[in-house]
Amino acid sequence: AQSVTQLGSHVSVSEGALVLLRCNYSSSVPPYLFWYVQYPNQGLQLLLKYTSAATLVKGINGFEAEFKKSETSFHLTKPSAHMSDAAEYFCAVNKAGTASKLTFGTGTRLQVTL
Amino acid sequence: GAVVSQHPSWVICKSGTSVKIECRSLDFQATTMFWYRQFPKQSLMLMATSNEGSKATYEQGVEKDKFLINHASLTLSTLTVTSAHPEDSSFYICSAVSTGTRPDTQYFGPGTRLTVL
């Protein structure tokens, strides 16, 4: 069985500040890990993914995440927040392989203030 | 690339009627598509896995006779909510997995908001 836990359902940062969204995973098999972003009333957009290649993964919009097996973590970071980053962020996991179902975390709402 | 569309984006129907939602992969072929349900301010819950040319696999607790899924081609899957009731009101999102170079990634549609009166 696989699961992800997102710590903090709501994170607020100032514009220009560091963004850190936390995700810890549990998996009995090698995992693939994903971060998705969802804007209001929209579907999910893939930010980045870890598929057992480089442990530091760079994604779109300046986001990156580091896979740390020893800590079972896959935290999402961005050096400088922008107002347009305000959205809901979901961490997800599936089995390393093809077309297997994703298990999502509960989501973290990022608020960016002036 | 990797665009998934859903139609309609928003539908309102009366209790007892059926509603069909389409999910299309526009620029790639998808052997597998997934259907999710999302309640307000909550995460996505997988409802079923749809495989082209075969019966869908439903998650535990999802009524297969109520949520009919058809995956008739490599670019189209449909979800029909039969005899809809107010408790079926939700945001339904599909995703598709490419059969090509990125089989490990799900690409999501924009979602369909269903309101049952």
Side-chain angles (χ1 to χ4, degrees):
Chain A
Q2 298 172 297
S3 65
V4 287
T5 301
Q6 291 184 242
L7 296 175
S9 59
H10 182 250
V11 171
S12 181
V13 300
S14 300
E15 189 174 36
L18 171 71
V19 175
L20 171 61
L21 304 182
R22 299 178 186 275
C23 173
N24 287 88
Y25 71 91
S26 174
S27 178
S28 56
V29 297
Y32 281 0
L33 291 156
F34 305 80
W35 276 101
Y36 287 90
V37 60
Q38 184 180 34
Y39 296 98
N41 297 310
Q42 295 186 27
L44 275 67
Q45 180 181 11
L46 179 67
L47 279 176
L48 49 80
K49 62 181 179 180
Y50 165 76
T51 55
S52 72
T55 56
L56 181 62
V57 182
K58 294 187 183 298
I60 63 171
N61 301 340
F63 285 94
E64 64 180 39
E66 187 172 7
F67 174 74
K68 292 186 176 181
K69 186 177 180 180
S70 61
E71 299 177 8
T72 61
S73 69
F74 190 59
H75 301 330
L76 181 70
T77 61
K78 182 175 181 177
S80 176
H82 191 272
M83 295 296 289
S84 61
D85 294 327
E88 188 85 19
Y89 291 80
F90 292 96
C91 181
V93 62
N94 69 1
K95 286 191 288 188
T98 62
S100 62
K101 60 185 182 181
L102 283 169
T103 300
F104 284 88
T106 51
T108 297
R109 180 165 298 277
L110 175 65
Q111 180 181 19
V112 182
T113 59
L114 289 172
Chain B
V3 178
V4 177
S5 70
Q6 282 185 242
H7 178 79
S9 57
W10 185 34
V11 57
I12 300 175
C13 69
K14 293 182 179 180
S15 186
T17 62
S18 295
V19 174
K20 180 184 284 189
I21 301 170
E22 294 185 347
C23 176
R24 293 181 185 271
S25 56
L26 299 185
D27 51 1
F28 65 98
Q29 293 186 326
T31 304
T32 302
M33 291 184 173
F34 298 89
W35 286 96
Y36 295 85
R37 184 173 181 176
Q38 186 180 32
F39 290 104
K41 301 187 187 302
Q42 295 188 28
S43 188
L44 281 73
M45 298 298 295
L46 179 66
M47 298 176 65
T49 302
S50 169
N51 292 298
E52 186 265 339
S54 64
K55 290 184 178 180
T57 302
Y58 291 81
E59 294 300 298
Q60 190 172 10
V62 177
E63 298 176 62
K64 62 179 67 176
D65 293 332
K66 180 167 189 61
F67 299 100
L68 300 178
I69 292 173
N70 182 272
H71 193 157
S73 77
L74 286 173
T75 59
L76 173 65
S77 176
T78 60
L79 167 67
T80 301
V81 183
T82 62
S83 186
H85 288 92
E87 58 266 30
D88 299 323
S89 298
S90 190
F91 195 50
Y92 292 88
I93 305 176
C94 72
S95 70
V97 179
S98 171
T99 57
T101 58
R102 291 187 172 180
D104 53 33
T105 301
Q106 293 185 29
Y107 298 95
F108 284 80
T112 296
R113 184 161 301 284
L114 170 64
T115 301
V116 184
L117 302 176

